[in-house]
Structure formats: structure tokens, C-alpha cells
Amino acid sequence: MDNGSKEKYLDLNLFRGLGEDPVYHPPVLTDRPRDWPLDKWAEAPRDLGYSDFSRYQWRGLRMLKDPETQAALHDLVWEVRPRTIIELGVYGGGSLVWFRDIAKLMGLDTRVIGLDRNLSRCQIPAEERENISLHEADCDDLASFEVLRDAVHPILFIDDAHANTFNVMRWAVENLLTPGDYFIIEDMIPYWSRYAPKLLSQYLATFRDELTMDMVYANTSPQLDRGVFRRS
Ligand code: SAH
């Protein structure tokens, strides 16, 4: 093996939290029949028999938000009634369609904006793009966020790309968010509070004059754990 070469193996870190496949596939049971005989009811396995996370979907599109997170975000959308929902990290696009659909069901006039540096994995069919805008943007290049400038308030801004997060949050606070808007860091706080607790506290403290943590939502699900912030 040629040491240091990137050709031999893909970097599996890229798939962290994503899986290899942006397309939703219904669960397939490989170690048990789907039709379990009732005369053997007591012997049936009690586990799922398939990976739960890769199965979460909205109308056939993978959605990387578990049911607890969906419930909390539903409540937040209902409460805030956002006119714009921005999500960094599109992947298959299921969460964008879900946000658009629940906002519409609530009678809200909401535009959903998805930013990703790689939109090639987005599975949203062309006829499902009403009120959804997709932009190629890179969290490491904040100039590519300029497309967000005209976003209508209230805004829910969700970081689900996990890159350059605190600089992105600083940009959002200084250029976009007004009182009542939200910035949400999904997934990462538990890792950072384990591996870099001092830097995490220090970085969050630099936002003390601009953001507070909303304690109604901060403990609602592991994916939102202590990462729901409101512009003050
Ligand atoms: N929000 C989606 C999942 C997003 S997965 C859902 O809930 O279903 C994370 C996405 O972040 C991937 O599509 C990846 O391409 C994107 N991403 C990773 N690094 C990025 C960066 N630096 N800039 C923009 N997008 C990035």
C-alpha cells in the first residue's frame, strides 16, 4: 500500500452519521421472517433487526433526524412560526422536505433554504421543490453564505453540516439573525463537551451578549442536546 495515498481507501469519517447511501431503502429483515408465527410469539426477537437511523425517512426521503428530534423541531416550528428555515447540510434532502411540509400543514408561509458543498446526493424530486431553495455553499468559505442575506424573519438556522461551526455561528449572529431567531447546533455538542470541553465553553461564552440557550428545547433530544440558541 502506498502510504499516505488517498486512492486506496475512502475516508470513512466522511460517512459519520450519514451512512454510505443517501437513498432511502425500506427495512429488509435478513435474520427473521416478517410474518412471525403466532404460535411462536414468545420466542420472537425483541430488537429491530435493522439499523434504525438509516431507516428514518419522510415520504421516501432519508431524514437524519430521529423521532425525538423531529418532535422537538415540530414544537419549535409551531412556536416560532419561522418565515425562513435555513439548514446547513442537505444530504438526501429529506429534512428540507419535512420542514417545508410541516410548515405548510401549519399554514405558515415559510421558505426552506438548504446549503451544501455537495448537492449531488440530494434526492428531492423536481416536482417537490416548492418553497425549497438549494444552494451550493461551503461552511469553510463564508462568502458563499451571502445568498442568505435577504432571508425573512423569524429565522431558524440549523447547522447540520458540522464544519467550521463557531465561525458560521459568528457570521450568522453578525450578519443575519435578529432577536427571536434561532441558531441550532445539531449532533455535535455531546462530542465536543466530551473531547474539547474547555474550548466549547470558551467559544459559547463569546456569544453571551448575542445568544441564550433555550431551556425548553435544549434537553429535548440527544441530537439537540444543549445546542438550541436564541438571538437575544
Ligand atoms: N440535514 C440533513 C443531513 C445533512 S448530512 C438531514 O437532517 O437529513 C451533512 C451534510 O453536510 C452532507 O451532505 C455534507 O455534504 C455537508 N457538508 C459537510 N461539510 C460541509 C461544508 N464544509 N460545507 C457545506 N456542507 C458540508
Side-chain angles (χ1 to χ4, degrees):
M1 196 195 315
D2 39 355
N3 282 340
S5 162
K6 288 192 171 171
E7 280 159 31
K8 200 130 192 157
Y9 301 108
L10 278 175
D11 183 359
L12 295 189
N13 293 304
L14 295 172
F15 299 130
R16 192 168 45 122
L18 295 177
E20 300 150 76
D21 190 350
V23 179
Y24 168 69
H25 302 283
V28 177
L29 300 174
T30 53
D31 64 343
R32 64 197 67 174
R34 179 159 181 176
D35 293 301
W36 190 269
L38 289 191
D39 59 344
K40 295 200 168 49
W41 178 85
E43 293 149 46
R46 303 286 301 277
D47 62 327
L48 270 180
Y50 51 86
S51 158
D52 60 346
F53 200 66
S54 60
R55 195 213 57 174
Y56 298 144
Q57 51 116 356
W58 177 249
R59 302 204 289 120
L61 295 168
R62 278 193 73 194
M63 173 165 173
L64 306 184
K65 300 191 188 335
D66 62 29
E68 280 175 299
T69 306
Q70 292 174 31
L73 289 171
H74 163 279
D75 293 355
L76 186 62
V77 170
W78 176 251
E79 183 182 342
V80 176
R81 307 179 78 77
R83 295 287 314 279
T84 309
I85 298 174
I86 298 163
E87 186 160 36
L88 307 181
V90 171
Y91 196 50
S95 64
L96 299 182
V97 173
W98 179 80
F99 275 125
R100 189 273 314 271
D101 288 352
I102 62 161
K104 193 172 172 186
L105 284 168
M106 292 175 188
L108 306 178
D109 179 12
T110 304
R111 170 149 293 273
V112 178
I113 305 175
L115 266 52
D116 203 298
R117 66 175 173 190
N118 175 6
L119 289 169
S120 69
R121 293 174 295 192
C122 181
Q123 307 294 314
I124 308 174
E127 66 277 12
E128 278 289 350
R129 301 217 170 166
E130 192 191 343
N131 290 338
I132 295 177
S133 317
L134 298 172
H135 297 285
E136 203 165 271
D138 193 329
C139 300
D140 292 316
D141 171 19
L142 296 175
S144 65
F145 282 32
E146 288 301 316
V147 289
L148 300 174
R149 285 253 187 217
D150 299 330
V152 183
H153 303 271
I155 295 173
L156 289 191
F157 194 126
I158 298 143
D159 169 38
D160 199 18
H162 315 319
N164 202 22
T165 301
F166 286 98
N167 290 310
V168 168
M169 192 154 99
R170 177 51 60 198
W171 183 92
V173 160
E174 284 177 7
N175 297 288
L176 198 61
L177 305 182
T178 57
D181 292 344
Y182 276 76
F183 191 97
I184 296 171
I185 299 179
E186 211 174 288
D187 300 320
M188 298 312 292
I189 298 275
Y191 295 97
W192 295 333
S193 64
R194 180 159 188 188
Y195 297 114
K198 285 189 206 144
L199 283 179
L200 176 61
S201 301
Q202 195 181 312
Y203 288 177
L204 287 170
T206 66
F207 290 90
R208 54 165 295 160
D209 295 333
E210 293 109 349
L211 296 170
T212 57
M213 179 154 68
D214 183 344
M215 297 308 289
V216 167
Y217 296 101
N219 297 313
T220 39
S221 86
Q223 287 187 283
L224 300 180
D225 184 11
R226 291 164 294 159
V228 182
F229 308 120
R230 180 159 51 187
R231 185 75 166 95
S232 36

